[in-house]
Amino acid sequence: MRFTKHPAVVFAVVFVACRTSGAVPRPAPPAQPQPVSWADPARVEKLVTAAAGLENVVAELAEKSGAPGVAVGVVADGRLAWFEAVGVRDVKSRAPVDQDTVFRIASMTKAFVVAAVLRLRDEGKLSLDDPAEKHLPELRGLAYPTRDSPRITVRHLLSHASGLPEDNATGDLKLPMPEAEFDRLLAAGFSFSSAPGSQFEYSNLAFALAGRIVTRVSGMRVQDYVSRNLLAPLGMLSTRWNGSEVPAEHRAHGYGRKGSAMPSAGLAKYEDEGLHEEEALGDGAFAAPAGLWTSPRDYARWVAFQLSAWPPRDAPDGGPVRRASLREAQEVQRALPVSVERDHRGELDVDAGGYGLGWWVISNCSFERMLTHSGLLPGYGSYVFLLPEHGVGLFAMTNLTYTSGRNLVRTLARELGARGVLPKRPVGLSPALARTCGAIIDLLATWDPERAAAMFDASYGSYEPLDKLRARLGGVARAHGACRPAADADPENAMRGRMRLACERGQVDVSVELTSDVPPRIQSLVLDSFLPPTPALAAAGEAATGLLARWEDGAAAGLFAPRADLAAVRASFARVTRNQGACALSRAVKSDGAARATFLLACERGEAHLDVELDPATGRAATVAASTAPGTMRCPL
């Protein structure tokens, strides 16, 4: 039930709809983008191979955790793609952990309760902004901490913004609470740590109240509602609320070490390993915050279901909870301060984000968006880590008190990312962007003022009159010759992105932003020209990369023109090496073919750009600057 506070490709898309001639087609009616296949059909196979190559890392971190048994899973393409088990589920019998071993997942239960509430909301039976007292009349007499305090809402309960005090020290033992005692708890009222909605505070009681709301609205115990409407449809047949219902041959016994919580008198002692078996907490009225028991095989189905919410699409929505509702739960509801720590290897890890509905929603130095949660109870620990844009989820389960496996899971994810086997899902080229691509190619070939006026938003001329646009496009056409759509695109969404044109001479990258009109029009157009760099430009890039690795005054004097600002060059080099580590020259990504070029650098922690401009008088470098490539920032050491 305890938690870890604030835990912490360019894609190939074929331009099948990109026209190169003819009239602008009639716009299609608005529609959600269709799901896009991964650029690499072998991505899961590569992921599994890479994970298998990290079994020694998993084994090492599992051993360091001290847990008798550890289960680790990687979910991709709707299935448990890779699984590794270390140790035993039962110290006495030495029975090993496997995919069907059932652990208690503690606070990872909260996401199930959220899903239950959202299902009821989608059926019109409640609103997230309902006052909790609408469904729990016992709360109408609460004494709020200030006169201007709002009433607690369902959303407050699910996002830890209820104003109820953190209760990890007391929440564990309340799990088996009888219904009558819970009724008395409601009737007695609560003390507040803050006004509802004013700050984040992790409250198990809040989720117990949310569970009671599910009970009242649905007419059945929250446990039964979740089992019938979530677990059964997802095929989670081994998942239980009561540990006594788990078959003995599958149950992971929960253990603590000397001095840990709840040493249980009268149970078997394992003095040689310093372990005692924890007394299993029963199923009761306080189960909603942390009561579920599940196996890796079952839990992988839950992870796959959460990941299936992405991307938004037209396909039938057949899950027990709407995809849009799952995505809603995965958005920040309550922001939290940045968290900074060093991992077990001394590398800096910076987490930013907040809490959604049953999920931590985090960005860090390795991934732009993660969904995480831990689960900690006497005898057990667990941790889940989802990467929605990558279509991958990882989790760990252990049978040692408050040992979540968080470090193990995050290390595994980071190592897989470093091996290049966690690509982002392609966004896909929308019909609007495809039509725009074709129209730009047509204007490059033959200027048509009427078509240009129809393509561009009326305000575009305030920034670049159409006669200047004509001149700019004419210069591109003269430099590059005839162009056609290439196979590379990097759309950010349906109305904005980059598209590449392959031309007779070099290439042109088109960055475009469209308006919200129907049909959409161009509001911003950037054309980045790439002509193969001259030998002199290429040599300057190589020499500058050498100085980035190791500065030498003599080599710098030979590379730079007298007017170059060497202090500024060295400062930019220092920033990149501090953030990105050692870098090697990859390729030119932008060039005018004569005096200016941008080179891509492959670095230890991401990518960087090296901008080089030659002095026309001397042929030596006038300016050189290194910078972190957009979207590849990594935390400095």
Side-chain angles (χ1 to χ4, degrees), residues 51-69:
L54 292 167
E55 288 176 355
N56 60 326
V57 175
V58 172
E60 176 187 350
L61 293 177
E63 182 179 358
K64 286 184 177 180
S65 75

Side-chain angles (χ1 to χ4, degrees), residues 312-630:
R313 56 197 184 275
D314 285 335
D317 203 344
V321 181
R322 294 175 183 172
R323 291 192 296 264
S325 295
L326 295 180
R327 296 193 297 269
E328 180 182 359
Q330 299 168 9
E331 295 294 337
V332 172
Q333 301 285 322
R334 178 64 48 177
L336 291 170
V338 171
S339 168
V340 182
E341 62 182 354
R342 291 193 181 274
D343 66 14
H344 69 290
R345 296 180 302 183
E347 293 187 6
L348 199 65
D349 209 0
V350 180
D351 285 355
Y355 199 83
L357 302 173
W359 292 99
W360 298 95
V361 187
I362 305 297
S363 296
N364 74 0
C365 304
S366 300
F367 299 103
E368 293 180 10
R369 176 183 170 84
M370 309 170 298
L371 307 173
T372 76
H373 215 289
S374 60
L376 304 170
L377 274 176
Y380 301 96
S382 52
Y383 188 75
V384 59
F385 181 102
L386 308 186
L387 298 169
E389 285 84 2
H390 302 257
V392 173
L394 303 89
F395 63 86
M397 301 175 183
T398 83
N399 56 346
L400 184 66
T401 294
Y402 305 155
T403 302
S404 70
R406 172 181 179 269
N407 186 42
L408 191 164
V409 169
R410 290 173 69 120
T411 298
L412 179 59
R414 187 165 52 225
E415 292 294 335
L416 291 172
R419 284 157 173 76
V421 295
L422 293 177
K424 281 190 174 182
R425 179 187 290 105
V427 173
L429 190 69
S430 70
L433 285 177
R435 287 193 296 269
T436 301
C437 166
I440 291 170
I441 290 175
D442 286 349
L443 288 180
L444 282 169
T446 305
W447 177 260
D448 182 337
E450 292 185 1
R451 187 173 192 185
M455 286 172 52
F456 287 84
D457 182 70
S459 64
Y460 184 90
S462 300
Y463 303 96
E464 183 181 35
L466 291 185
D467 58 339
K468 291 188 176 181
L469 173 64
R470 177 183 183 179
R472 180 158 66 106
L473 293 179
V476 171
R478 287 190 296 273
H480 290 273
C483 297
R484 57 180 175 76
D488 294 338
D490 190 13
E492 185 175 337
N493 55 40
M495 295 288 115
R496 180 172 60 251
R498 292 177 63 88
M499 300 168 286
R500 177 161 296 171
L501 307 181
C503 307
E504 291 177 311
R505 295 178 295 279
Q507 65 191 39
V508 178
D509 285 341
V510 180
S511 298
V512 64
E513 296 182 11
L514 304 181
T515 67
S516 59
D517 301 292
V518 179
R521 293 176 171 84
I522 299 173
Q523 59 176 312
S524 174
L525 176 65
V526 177
L527 302 177
D528 288 326
S529 175
F530 177 87
L531 292 166
T534 63
L537 261 178
E542 292 180 2
T545 304
L547 289 174
L548 180 65
R550 181 180 178 183
W551 185 272
E552 294 181 356
D553 289 338
L559 172 62
F560 289 97
R563 66 185 179 90
D565 186 346
L566 298 189
V569 174
R570 293 194 70 172
S572 72
F573 282 12
R575 285 193 297 271
V576 165
T577 54
R578 182 173 62 248
N579 289 334
Q580 307 297 86
C583 299
L585 187 66
S586 177
R587 66 183 189 279
V589 293
K590 189 188 301 184
S591 171
D592 66 2
R596 296 181 181 86
T598 297
F599 298 90
L600 182 68
L601 303 177
C603 307
E604 290 178 309
R605 295 186 294 278
E607 296 176 338
H609 282 166
L610 184 69
D611 296 310
V612 178
E613 180 180 354
L614 298 184
D615 177 54
T618 65
R620 293 154 69 183
T623 61
V624 174
S627 60
T628 301

